[in-house]
Amino acid sequence: MALIPSQLDDEVSLRPRIDALNANYVHTIDDDRLEDWPNFFTADGEYSISTRENHEMGLPICLVQCKGTGMFRDRITALRQANIYEPHTYCHSVSALHISSASQGVIATKSNFTLVRTMSEGQMMLFAAGRYMDKIIDYNGELKFAERRVILESRRIDTLLVIPI
Amino acid sequence: MDTIDRGNDPDFVWPYEDTSRVPFQVYTDEELYRVEQKKVFQGNVWNFLCLECEIPEPGDYKTTYAGDTPIIAVRDEAGNINAMVNRCAHKGSLVCYKPRGNVKELACVYHNWVYDLRGNLTAVAFRRGVGGKGGLTDEFKNSEHGLQRLRVEVFRGLVFGTFSEKTEPVADYLGDELVSAVDRVLIKPLKVLGYYSQIFKNNWKLYVENNKDSYHASLLHVFHNTFGVVRPNMGGGIKISDSGWHHLSYTERTDISDDEIVKENVRSKQDAYSLEDPTLMEHKLELGDNVTNNIQTIFPTLVIQQILNCLAVRQLIPKGVNESELIWTILGFEDDDEEMIQHRVSTNNLVGPAGFISMEDGAVGAWVQRAAKSDREALTVMPMGGRAIEPSQGSRVTEAAVRGFWKGWRECMEI
Ligand SMILES: [Fe+2]
């Protein structure tokens, strides 16, 4: 499905804007500005973390699913106020962007990520790798995720997953 | 060589008069880990292998584990489920190296030794050699070289396997109380809604204890308190099988209305937070009672979970003395509609490695493991609810089920 220039900016002008969105997203998480994380999504936006196994088998279960701003904020409030875990930080790297399609104002994109987690005592590991599968819209001149599906390569989570990916 | 085959560790003596004290050594000792594989997982226990609905058609197989032994669960042409050690009788290679599939026979790719779906050796490549040279001599009997079989029993859609001829039928193994508990949850044909797994940097037994320890729930997992998710008139308690090996804990709402869908009373307390979107706390009553949370543990390593509408089985796999993996299989019923499936997905935010009320369980075991390794003789202390292994009604502040687990472990280990 090719990009349709008549409906949107052509890919040349779109690509740097989406790259900036992705960069901003991962740095917001890596810099622990998690209260800003819900703002990357539309008010009824959806975020989920699932696995390649579930995705390929067509199974609906996700490790995390947020639908609508309230659930995003609840995730962050729980992380800050309720859940107990050893302090750790994320370092995301995001691959070049693949624009799958763009129609009726919705841009579908894919990019890969790797995520290194570092614990407070210094242990460092490749915590996750996978794909972002996104539906992005232009919301008053600002790009936002209407949907961001995180598909993990592995079904295995080391210990726990509390910070969003 | 009894020490190797039966695996007794002659040096280990249980250091206390009952199971209200446990030495750290049981979590860190390589020798005990090796013995456990023989005497617990390959002993007189039923190991959960998979769900019947995961291998519905003849030829469907799934690879799984009993303890750390790789297992194939496969449905044969007659519709029966068989389980064999996933290890070729020839050189010991894995026979099935994919997680699941459908086959007419089980062929080891290494040298093409072929087994039927009951594990009998049916063909050996180059049996007659080439050009009359090589191949097998007459002394080789196919019948002596099948895959090692487990006894299988399918119970309410759960496939169990045992290495022992002596293990009693599953219903007797569980006892009446656990049988009715399983019957309460697995009321209809199941379907798998998804999988994920969690790696614990701790000995498998620390996670088993965590599940049997209803005392920690409200202390470690403070989600409910933090968000002021108040549950009026909640009752509950724990039950323990007569053997002490299995248990169930439950929380019950006692003042429920007749509405099929009951929203949790979500409100903000002073100094507390409120959930902006409480959808995930909705409980659609579907099991004919008001029980909101029900955790069942089946010795040694199976957990059956009902938390609101999130149904799951959790299979724990030891991965060496210091590590274990928990495979979560999230379930629905075959007749769930789209709305119910989405509701189960939503509720699932509570559980699993990212679950609001369960993620901490991934961390605490590792903390014990890290602290325990330097002092193998030191003892943990489990005095809650006395020393007995007995049920508790109205309160879950008891460690009785944990003491029951250690009773089972000692019986298996003959320690
Ligand atoms: Fe827990």
Side-chain angles (χ1 to χ4, degrees):
Chain A
M1 283 175 285
L3 192 70
I4 305 167
S6 61
Q7 287 173 323
L8 279 161
D9 301 342
D10 62 17
E11 184 177 340
V12 175
S13 65
L14 205 48
R15 182 173 285 276
R17 293 181 67 202
I18 299 172
D19 283 342
L21 174 72
N22 273 332
N24 198 0
Y25 179 94
V26 297
H27 286 295
T28 298
I29 292 172
D30 293 356
D31 297 345
D32 193 29
R33 288 181 280 116
L34 298 175
E35 283 67 18
D36 293 337
W37 173 66
N39 302 330
F40 285 94
F41 295 82
T42 58
D44 59 352
E46 184 171 339
Y47 172 81
S48 62
I49 303 178
S50 190
T51 64
R52 181 189 273 265
E53 178 183 39
N54 288 340
H55 180 65
E56 290 182 351
M57 291 177 77
L59 297 173
I61 280 293
C62 314
L63 288 121
V64 173
Q65 187 196 54
C66 298
K67 279 185 169 181
T69 307
M71 286 193 190
F72 287 81
R73 292 204 191 123
D74 289 341
R75 270 277 159 195
I76 300 306
T77 309
L79 172 155
R80 295 285 192 221
Q81 308 298 339
N83 289 126
I84 293 166
Y85 49 91
E86 222 170 315
H88 58 277
T89 56
Y90 281 177
C91 180
H92 285 82
S93 301
V94 182
S95 77
L97 182 73
H98 178 263
I99 299 180
S100 319
S101 69
S103 67
Q104 304 190 330
V106 180
I107 313 150
T109 71
K110 278 195 292 194
S111 44
N112 287 355
F113 65 87
T114 52
L115 169 50
V116 172
R117 185 188 65 185
T118 304
M119 310 304 290
S120 54
E121 281 194 355
Q123 311 100 290
M124 192 181 249
M125 73 180 297
L126 180 61
F127 179 62
R131 260 175 296 170
Y132 289 123
M133 296 177 67
D134 302 326
K135 293 205 170 98
I136 298 168
I137 63 162
D138 188 322
Y139 182 81
N140 295 334
E142 201 183 348
L143 294 185
K144 285 187 185 280
F145 295 111
E147 185 181 295
R148 165 153 267 194
R149 295 171 67 202
V150 181
I151 309 290
L152 304 174
E153 284 295 302
S154 170
R155 57 145 72 171
R156 280 188 186 169
I157 302 295
D158 183 273
T159 306
L160 59 79
L161 193 172
V162 64
I163 303 172
I165 294 175
Chain B
M1 296 304 286
D2 188 53
T3 18
I4 287 169
D5 290 333
R6 296 289 302 152
N8 282 312
D9 179 352
D11 298 332
F12 184 78
V13 178
W14 191 261
Y16 199 71
E17 62 203 59
D18 58 31
T19 56
S20 67
R21 304 284 187 279
V22 172
F24 285 136
Q25 182 179 3
V26 297
Y27 308 120
T28 58
D29 192 317
E30 298 274 359
E31 177 69 8
L32 285 174
Y33 177 85
R34 199 184 56 72
V35 176
E36 283 168 346
Q37 299 308 317
K38 293 284 175 208
K39 302 183 82 166
V40 178
F41 297 105
Q42 296 175 25
N44 300 326
V45 306
W46 285 106
N47 296 285
F48 170 77
L49 300 177
C50 66
L51 294 152
E52 195 180 12
C53 67
E54 293 180 289
I55 45 175
E57 301 298 328
D60 284 350
Y61 74 85
K62 186 179 180 210
T63 57
T64 177
Y65 290 88
D68 63 13
T69 304
I71 304 288
I72 306 163
V74 60
R75 193 182 286 271
D76 65 27
E77 301 82 352
N80 298 315
I81 293 178
N82 305 303
M84 286 80 75
V85 174
N86 187 5
R87 182 194 297 140
C88 183
H90 177 215
K91 296 286 283 184
S93 169
L94 292 176
V95 175
C96 295
Y97 54 89
K98 296 178 184 167
R100 51 181 76 83
N102 183 279
V103 289
K104 293 240 175 322
E105 55 198 13
L106 298 165
C108 176
V109 295
Y110 195 176
H111 301 89
N112 202 31
W113 285 34
V114 179
Y115 306 87
D116 67 19
L117 301 182
R118 283 157 298 284
N120 302 304
L121 181 64
T122 56
V124 171
F126 298 119
R127 174 179 198 103
R128 301 193 196 295
V130 176
K133 301 216 168 72
L136 294 172
T137 62
D138 288 344
E139 70 171 351
F140 185 92
K141 302 273 185 292
N142 279 7
S143 59
E144 293 169 1
H145 300 277
L147 299 176
Q148 184 183 352
R149 282 178 62 99
L150 282 71
R151 278 205 298 134
V152 169
E153 190 178 326
V154 180
F155 184 83
R156 313 298 194 257
L158 309 170
V159 179
F160 289 96
T162 181
F163 285 82
S164 166
E165 285 306 316
K166 286 189 238 157
T167 315
E168 57 204 329
V170 171
D172 298 339
Y173 179 77
L174 295 178
D176 294 343
E177 214 120 55
L178 263 292
V179 168
S180 20
V182 175
D183 281 343
R184 178 189 157 271
V185 179
L186 307 184
I187 51 171
K188 286 187 281 190
L190 298 167
K191 86 174 151 197
V192 172
L193 299 183
Y195 302 96
Y196 44 77
S197 99
Q198 190 171 7
I199 294 288
F200 301 130
K201 297 289 169 52
N202 56 256
N203 186 273
W204 65 275
K205 297 187 291 303
L206 282 164
Y207 184 73
V208 175
E209 287 189 277
N210 175 279
N211 274 290
K212 304 216 182 221
D213 165 11
S214 42
Y215 172 35
H216 85 276
S218 64
L219 301 170
L220 176 66
H221 310 297
V222 297
F223 177 83
H224 285 110
N225 291 344
T226 302
F227 284 100
V229 186
V230 176
R231 305 168 137 194
N233 300 330
M234 293 305 257
I238 72 160
K239 294 178 182 176
I240 301 177
S241 67
D242 290 341
S243 63
W245 291 24
H246 326 289
H247 108 295
L248 67 102
S249 73
Y250 63 100
T251 312
E252 193 168 24
R253 185 198 313 266
T254 52
D255 65 342
I256 208 144
S257 69
D258 290 337
D259 295 347
E260 200 195 345
I261 300 169
V262 180
K263 289 212 175 186
E264 288 278 339
N265 178 12
V266 179
R267 67 167 185 240
S268 178
K269 291 189 296 196
Q270 219 169 7
D271 299 328
Y273 298 82
S274 57
L275 280 175
E276 289 192 32
D277 188 339
T279 308
L280 80 170
M281 299 302 299
E282 276 176 27
H283 188 192
K284 297 176 193 281
L285 298 183
E286 59 177 336
L287 301 177
D289 59 27
N290 301 333
V291 172
T292 55
N293 285 27
N294 178 211
I295 298 294
Q296 303 165 19
T297 64
I298 294 174
F299 191 92
T301 44
L302 174 65
V303 179
I304 301 174
Q305 163 209 302
Q306 175 233 336
I307 292 178
L308 304 174
N309 297 106
C310 187
L311 311 179
V313 290
R314 311 180 200 158
Q315 179 190 17
L316 182 65
I317 302 166
K319 297 274 173 189
V321 69
N322 294 313
E323 192 166 305
S324 45
E325 178 175 15
L326 187 68
I327 312 268
W328 299 71
T329 304
I330 309 300
L331 301 172
F333 294 118
E334 224 171 51
D335 61 1
D336 283 352
D337 59 18
E338 271 309 307
E339 188 191 341
M340 190 61 178
I341 290 171
Q342 172 45 44
H343 179 62
R344 294 195 202 279
V345 174
S346 180
T347 310
N348 184 73
N349 278 293
L350 292 168
V351 303
F356 285 127
I357 62 167
S358 76
M359 68 171 75
E360 290 87 359
D361 294 326
V364 289
W367 294 342
V368 175
Q369 193 78 22
R370 268 147 69 182
K373 70 177 177 193
S374 55
D375 218 345
R376 43 192 268 136
E377 288 81 21
L379 304 176
T380 66
V381 182
M382 293 182 287
M384 283 292 155
R387 291 185 181 205
I389 299 167
E390 57 189 19
S392 158
Q393 215 190 335
S395 162
R396 296 187 298 153
V397 184
T398 173
E399 293 169 304
V402 191
R403 293 188 289 271
F405 167 74
W406 286 108
K407 172 180 177 282
W409 186 84
R410 290 182 64 185
E411 285 165 1
C412 290
M413 296 286 280
E414 301 172 84
I415 281 173

